[in-house]
Amino acid sequence: MQSKHFLTTLILTTGLLCSACTRQKIYSRFQHVSETGWEKVDTIDFGIPPVAESGTYCEDLELRIDTTFPFQSLTMEVTQTIFPLGRQESYTKTCPLIDKSGNITGAGVSLFSYTFPFNNIQLNRGDSLHITVVHCMKREIMPGITDVGISLTRQ
């Protein structure tokens, strides 16, 4: 019986270690949004330093909201420039935050967190990124958004 428990523990531990090694988060940052709301003219900037290895990377857009967010979703434009080539790409991402019943779908109690994949990108060793995020909502000031983040994970 004890060897069965040991074997199960060993298999689970090995599985966790293998899955942890397949993805490496190399960048994760949040920028705080003004307590009065995220204005349309407020561009949020992220500078990702040069990557150490060539490969495929997953880019995630991360959000934190509070209970004052007034809509079911938030639409943002993400623009990135890849250096040293200077190639620019833009993405429009609509992020569902509240279901049709009015329930917040993020993880949390008074602050709610979300992660939305928006791109897989091939980077060469030494490439860096400059990413900007703006909201594309009709309302000039978006209340309830507390933080906007970007993470980059090597596949």
PDB file of all heavy atoms in Angstrom, residues 42-61:
ATOM      1  N   ASP A  42      -4.772  57.523 -22.762  1.00  0.00           N
ATOM      2  CA  ASP A  42      -3.719  56.939 -21.929  1.00  0.00           C
ATOM      3  C   ASP A  42      -3.211  55.643 -22.562  1.00  0.00           C
ATOM      4  O   ASP A  42      -3.879  54.613 -22.539  1.00  0.00           O
ATOM      5  CB  ASP A  42      -4.228  56.630 -20.517  1.00  0.00           C
ATOM      6  CG  ASP A  42      -4.500  57.887 -19.713  1.00  0.00           C
ATOM      7  OD1 ASP A  42      -3.992  58.956 -20.098  1.00  0.00           O
ATOM      8  OD2 ASP A  42      -5.218  57.790 -18.705  1.00  0.00           O
ATOM      9  N   THR A  43      -2.014  55.721 -23.133  1.00  0.00           N
ATOM     10  CA  THR A  43      -1.376  54.556 -23.730  1.00  0.00           C
ATOM     11  C   THR A  43      -0.519  53.885 -22.663  1.00  0.00           C
ATOM     12  O   THR A  43       0.263  54.527 -21.978  1.00  0.00           O
ATOM     13  CB  THR A  43      -0.488  54.976 -24.921  1.00  0.00           C
ATOM     14  OG1 THR A  43      -1.312  55.632 -25.881  1.00  0.00           O
ATOM     15  CG2 THR A  43       0.188  53.780 -25.550  1.00  0.00           C
ATOM     16  N   ILE A  44      -0.680  52.578 -22.545  1.00  0.00           N
ATOM     17  CA  ILE A  44       0.102  51.808 -21.582  1.00  0.00           C
ATOM     18  C   ILE A  44       1.231  51.138 -22.341  1.00  0.00           C
ATOM     19  O   ILE A  44       0.995  50.448 -23.341  1.00  0.00           O
ATOM     20  CB  ILE A  44      -0.795  50.790 -20.857  1.00  0.00           C
ATOM     21  CG1 ILE A  44      -1.892  51.555 -20.104  1.00  0.00           C
ATOM     22  CG2 ILE A  44       0.021  49.917 -19.914  1.00  0.00           C
ATOM     23  CD1 ILE A  44      -2.922  50.690 -19.458  1.00  0.00           C
ATOM     24  N   ASP A  45       2.476  51.378 -21.890  1.00  0.00           N
ATOM     25  CA  ASP A  45       3.673  50.909 -22.588  1.00  0.00           C
ATOM     26  C   ASP A  45       4.371  49.790 -21.834  1.00  0.00           C
ATOM     27  O   ASP A  45       4.452  49.817 -20.596  1.00  0.00           O
ATOM     28  CB  ASP A  45       4.684  52.054 -22.737  1.00  0.00           C
ATOM     29  CG  ASP A  45       4.213  53.119 -23.683  1.00  0.00           C
ATOM     30  OD1 ASP A  45       4.085  52.819 -24.873  1.00  0.00           O
ATOM     31  OD2 ASP A  45       3.991  54.253 -23.222  1.00  0.00           O
ATOM     32  N   PHE A  46       4.920  48.835 -22.606  1.00  0.00           N
ATOM     33  CA  PHE A  46       5.725  47.760 -22.057  1.00  0.00           C
ATOM     34  C   PHE A  46       6.961  47.596 -22.931  1.00  0.00           C
ATOM     35  O   PHE A  46       6.851  47.533 -24.154  1.00  0.00           O
ATOM     36  CB  PHE A  46       4.950  46.438 -22.051  1.00  0.00           C
ATOM     37  CG  PHE A  46       3.698  46.488 -21.221  1.00  0.00           C
ATOM     38  CD1 PHE A  46       2.482  46.827 -21.802  1.00  0.00           C
ATOM     39  CD2 PHE A  46       3.734  46.210 -19.862  1.00  0.00           C
ATOM     40  CE1 PHE A  46       1.325  46.881 -21.052  1.00  0.00           C
ATOM     41  CE2 PHE A  46       2.571  46.273 -19.104  1.00  0.00           C
ATOM     42  CZ  PHE A  46       1.377  46.611 -19.693  1.00  0.00           C
ATOM     43  N   GLY A  47       8.105  47.509 -22.308  1.00  0.00           N
ATOM     44  CA  GLY A  47       9.360  47.274 -23.025  1.00  0.00           C
ATOM     45  C   GLY A  47       9.927  45.924 -22.618  1.00  0.00           C
ATOM     46  O   GLY A  47      10.385  45.762 -21.484  1.00  0.00           O
ATOM     47  N   ILE A  48       9.871  44.970 -23.523  1.00  0.00           N
ATOM     48  CA  ILE A  48      10.382  43.635 -23.229  1.00  0.00           C
ATOM     49  C   ILE A  48      11.825  43.572 -23.704  1.00  0.00           C
ATOM     50  O   ILE A  48      12.111  43.802 -24.877  1.00  0.00           O
ATOM     51  CB  ILE A  48       9.522  42.552 -23.908  1.00  0.00           C
ATOM     52  CG1 ILE A  48       8.077  42.648 -23.384  1.00  0.00           C
ATOM     53  CG2 ILE A  48      10.109  41.167 -23.678  1.00  0.00           C
ATOM     54  CD1 ILE A  48       7.098  41.718 -24.045  1.00  0.00           C
ATOM     55  N   PRO A  49      12.760  43.275 -22.790  1.00  0.00           N
ATOM     56  CA  PRO A  49      14.176  43.250 -23.157  1.00  0.00           C
ATOM     57  C   PRO A  49      14.493  42.113 -24.137  1.00  0.00           C
ATOM     58  O   PRO A  49      13.676  41.202 -24.323  1.00  0.00           O
ATOM     59  CB  PRO A  49      14.889  43.047 -21.819  1.00  0.00           C
ATOM     60  CG  PRO A  49      13.876  42.475 -20.902  1.00  0.00           C
ATOM     61  CD  PRO A  49      12.534  42.940 -21.389  1.00  0.00           C
ATOM     62  N   PRO A  50      15.663  42.142 -24.750  1.00  0.00           N
ATOM     63  CA  PRO A  50      16.031  41.105 -25.719  1.00  0.00           C
ATOM     64  C   PRO A  50      15.914  39.702 -25.127  1.00  0.00           C
ATOM     65  O   PRO A  50      16.297  39.464 -23.981  1.00  0.00           O
ATOM     66  CB  PRO A  50      17.493  41.433 -26.050  1.00  0.00           C
ATOM     67  CG  PRO A  50      17.621  42.899 -25.766  1.00  0.00           C
ATOM     68  CD  PRO A  50      16.704  43.166 -24.613  1.00  0.00           C
ATOM     69  N   VAL A  51      15.366  38.794 -25.937  1.00  0.00           N
ATOM     70  CA  VAL A  51      15.207  37.404 -25.494  1.00  0.00           C
ATOM     71  C   VAL A  51      16.537  36.675 -25.640  1.00  0.00           C
ATOM     72  O   VAL A  51      17.324  36.952 -26.551  1.00  0.00           O
ATOM     73  CB  VAL A  51      14.083  36.675 -26.257  1.00  0.00           C
ATOM     74  CG1 VAL A  51      12.738  37.325 -25.972  1.00  0.00           C
ATOM     75  CG2 VAL A  51      14.339  36.618 -27.751  1.00  0.00           C
ATOM     76  N   ALA A  52      16.766  35.731 -24.735  1.00  0.00           N
ATOM     77  CA  ALA A  52      18.028  34.995 -24.723  1.00  0.00           C
ATOM     78  C   ALA A  52      18.063  33.849 -25.727  1.00  0.00           C
ATOM     79  O   ALA A  52      19.137  33.438 -26.152  1.00  0.00           O
ATOM     80  CB  ALA A  52      18.291  34.455 -23.318  1.00  0.00           C
ATOM     81  N   GLU A  53      16.878  33.349 -26.109  1.00  0.00           N
ATOM     82  CA  GLU A  53      16.819  32.195 -27.006  1.00  0.00           C
ATOM     83  C   GLU A  53      15.827  32.435 -28.129  1.00  0.00           C
ATOM     84  O   GLU A  53      14.777  33.032 -27.917  1.00  0.00           O
ATOM     85  CB  GLU A  53      16.361  30.958 -26.243  1.00  0.00           C
ATOM     86  CG  GLU A  53      17.285  30.504 -25.133  1.00  0.00           C
ATOM     87  CD  GLU A  53      16.732  29.269 -24.439  1.00  0.00           C
ATOM     88  OE1 GLU A  53      16.398  28.298 -25.141  1.00  0.00           O
ATOM     89  OE2 GLU A  53      16.634  29.295 -23.210  1.00  0.00           O
ATOM     90  N   SER A  54      16.159  31.926 -29.303  1.00  0.00           N
ATOM     91  CA  SER A  54      15.207  31.935 -30.411  1.00  0.00           C
ATOM     92  C   SER A  54      14.112  30.923 -30.120  1.00  0.00           C
ATOM     93  O   SER A  54      14.348  29.916 -29.455  1.00  0.00           O
ATOM     94  CB  SER A  54      15.909  31.548 -31.716  1.00  0.00           C
ATOM     95  OG  SER A  54      16.871  32.506 -32.062  1.00  0.00           O
ATOM     96  N   GLY A  55      12.909  31.202 -30.611  1.00  0.00           N
ATOM     97  CA  GLY A  55      11.826  30.256 -30.424  1.00  0.00           C
ATOM     98  C   GLY A  55      10.469  30.902 -30.573  1.00  0.00           C
ATOM     99  O   GLY A  55      10.343  32.078 -30.915  1.00  0.00           O
ATOM    100  N   THR A  56       9.446  30.112 -30.283  1.00  0.00           N
ATOM    101  CA  THR A  56       8.070  30.582 -30.323  1.00  0.00           C
ATOM    102  C   THR A  56       7.670  31.044 -28.936  1.00  0.00           C
ATOM    103  O   THR A  56       7.898  30.335 -27.942  1.00  0.00           O
ATOM    104  CB  THR A  56       7.127  29.461 -30.807  1.00  0.00           C
ATOM    105  OG1 THR A  56       7.572  29.025 -32.091  1.00  0.00           O
ATOM    106  CG2 THR A  56       5.695  29.963 -30.900  1.00  0.00           C
ATOM    107  N   TYR A  57       7.050  32.215 -28.864  1.00  0.00           N
ATOM    108  CA  TYR A  57       6.642  32.803 -27.599  1.00  0.00           C
ATOM    109  C   TYR A  57       5.149  33.111 -27.646  1.00  0.00           C
ATOM    110  O   TYR A  57       4.631  33.546 -28.667  1.00  0.00           O
ATOM    111  CB  TYR A  57       7.421  34.096 -27.330  1.00  0.00           C
ATOM    112  CG  TYR A  57       8.886  33.850 -27.052  1.00  0.00           C
ATOM    113  CD1 TYR A  57       9.787  33.682 -28.092  1.00  0.00           C
ATOM    114  CD2 TYR A  57       9.359  33.763 -25.748  1.00  0.00           C
ATOM    115  CE1 TYR A  57      11.132  33.443 -27.843  1.00  0.00           C
ATOM    116  CE2 TYR A  57      10.701  33.530 -25.495  1.00  0.00           C
ATOM    117  CZ  TYR A  57      11.580  33.368 -26.545  1.00  0.00           C
ATOM    118  OH  TYR A  57      12.912  33.129 -26.288  1.00  0.00           O
ATOM    119  N   CYS A  58       4.489  32.887 -26.530  1.00  0.00           N
ATOM    120  CA  CYS A  58       3.072  33.202 -26.386  1.00  0.00           C
ATOM    121  C   CYS A  58       2.952  34.542 -25.668  1.00  0.00           C
ATOM    122  O   CYS A  58       3.529  34.728 -24.593  1.00  0.00           O
ATOM    123  CB  CYS A  58       2.372  32.104 -25.582  1.00  0.00           C
ATOM    124  SG  CYS A  58       0.635  32.447 -25.280  1.00  0.00           S
ATOM    125  N   GLU A  59       2.202  35.446 -26.270  1.00  0.00           N
ATOM    126  CA  GLU A  59       1.970  36.754 -25.659  1.00  0.00           C
ATOM    127  C   GLU A  59       0.581  36.759 -25.047  1.00  0.00           C
ATOM    128  O   GLU A  59      -0.397  36.405 -25.710  1.00  0.00           O
ATOM    129  CB  GLU A  59       2.075  37.853 -26.711  1.00  0.00           C
ATOM    130  CG  GLU A  59       3.463  37.975 -27.308  1.00  0.00           C
ATOM    131  CD  GLU A  59       3.503  38.975 -28.443  1.00  0.00           C
ATOM    132  OE1 GLU A  59       2.854  38.712 -29.473  1.00  0.00           O
ATOM    133  OE2 GLU A  59       4.174  40.000 -28.288  1.00  0.00           O
ATOM    134  N   ASP A  60       0.498  37.166 -23.785  1.00  0.00           N
ATOM    135  CA  ASP A  60      -0.777  37.245 -23.076  1.00  0.00           C
ATOM    136  C   ASP A  60      -1.048  38.672 -22.644  1.00  0.00           C
ATOM    137  O   ASP A  60      -0.141  39.386 -22.215  1.00  0.00           O
ATOM    138  CB  ASP A  60      -0.774  36.362 -21.826  1.00  0.00           C
ATOM    139  CG  ASP A  60      -0.712  34.881 -22.139  1.00  0.00           C
ATOM    140  OD1 ASP A  60      -1.293  34.468 -23.158  1.00  0.00           O
ATOM    141  OD2 ASP A  60      -0.082  34.142 -21.366  1.00  0.00           O
ATOM    142  N   LEU A  61      -2.299  39.057 -22.756  1.00  0.00           N
ATOM    143  CA  LEU A  61      -2.794  40.329 -22.251  1.00  0.00           C
ATOM    144  C   LEU A  61      -3.464  40.025 -20.920  1.00  0.00           C
ATOM    145  O   LEU A  61      -4.302  39.123 -20.841  1.00  0.00           O
ATOM    146  CB  LEU A  61      -3.783  40.921 -23.240  1.00  0.00           C
ATOM    147  CG  LEU A  61      -4.393  42.276 -22.952  1.00  0.00           C
ATOM    148  CD1 LEU A  61      -3.309  43.340 -22.803  1.00  0.00           C
ATOM    149  CD2 LEU A  61      -5.342  42.656 -24.071  1.00  0.00           C
TER     150      LEU A  61
END
